[in-house]
Amino acid sequence: MADLRETIKQAYTEAVESTGGAAREPELQSFGCGNPIEAALLKEGERVLDLGSGAGIDLILAAKRVGASGHVYGIDMTKAMLDRARKNIDRLGLRNITLLRGYIEDIPLHDGSIDVLISNCVINLSPDKDKVFGEAFRLLTSGGRFCVSDVLLMKPVPEKLRASPAAWSG
């Protein structure tokens, strides 16, 4: 699993760094595959967690929806993504976002601390999806919501592809 994580980290680090520059405007490239923000129906004051928050576009959209009385957490395993997200958040002056570096299989937040959990095409990258879902349900409040946009396979993946680190990271 460590080799797989390193391959995915490297691929996404290269992707975000290849689109970087000295721009003064936010750099909101997205590596997602949908829009879980719309499905989440976020409300003022809610606490939101974005799994695999990347460069921060979903964080920013969520932060604007929950307002100053709400809070958004983003977790990503890639330092380059978190660095880009921090720049984007700071450029927009948003103060209701906390970035966490870590894995979506082991999230450093308290049980029942999240009202809404979102994910935009990240769970498919985890080699231990059961653990991701366990963490999600550990963190959600009673009646909390889990809104996911991701890849769904209709038949098993051939072993050759499952064993290929490059296939996991595009």
Side-chain angles (χ1 to χ4, degrees):
M1 183 156 57
D3 288 344
L4 176 59
R5 279 187 174 157
E6 287 306 313
T7 299
I8 293 169
K9 276 187 201 179
Q10 185 62 36
Y12 283 95
T13 296
E14 290 172 9
V16 75
E17 288 177 349
S18 72
T19 60
R24 292 189 181 151
E25 295 300 315
E27 300 167 4
L28 295 174
Q29 67 272 42
S30 174
F31 300 96
C33 59
N35 185 354
I37 300 296
E38 285 300 315
L41 302 173
L42 299 177
K43 299 176 191 90
E44 183 86 20
E46 288 187 311
R47 295 162 299 167
V48 178
L49 171 62
D50 182 9
L51 299 181
S53 52
I57 190 166
D58 290 330
L59 293 172
I60 290 165
L61 294 171
K64 290 180 178 184
R65 296 225 178 154
V66 300
S69 64
H71 199 84
V72 179
Y73 298 89
I75 186 166
D76 205 286
M77 68 177 178
T78 309
K79 182 183 181 314
M81 288 289 188
L82 291 169
D83 290 346
R84 181 63 53 86
R86 173 54 51 212
K87 286 179 186 175
N88 289 329
I89 292 162
D90 289 347
R91 284 180 182 141
L92 294 170
L94 296 170
R95 301 287 177 243
N96 61 339
I97 300 173
T98 299
L99 297 175
L100 306 167
R101 187 166 180 197
Y103 300 106
I104 62 174
E105 300 89 356
D106 185 25
I107 301 168
L109 291 172
H110 296 291
D111 295 4
S113 61
I114 299 298
D115 300 306
V116 183
L117 195 143
I118 60 172
S119 178
N120 193 350
C121 219
V122 172
I123 296 171
N124 70 83
L125 299 175
S126 172
D128 192 346
K129 291 161 189 52
D130 288 341
K131 200 163 184 191
V132 174
F133 288 112
E135 279 293 273
F137 290 104
R138 177 185 70 80
L139 294 170
L140 283 171
T141 60
S142 177
R145 302 183 307 285
F146 189 10
C147 297
V148 177
S149 175
D150 215 313
V151 175
L152 175 68
L153 300 174
M154 302 304 284
K155 57 184 179 180
V157 175
E159 182 58 37
K160 184 177 180 179
L161 285 177
R162 272 191 289 163
S164 168
W168 284 84
S169 60

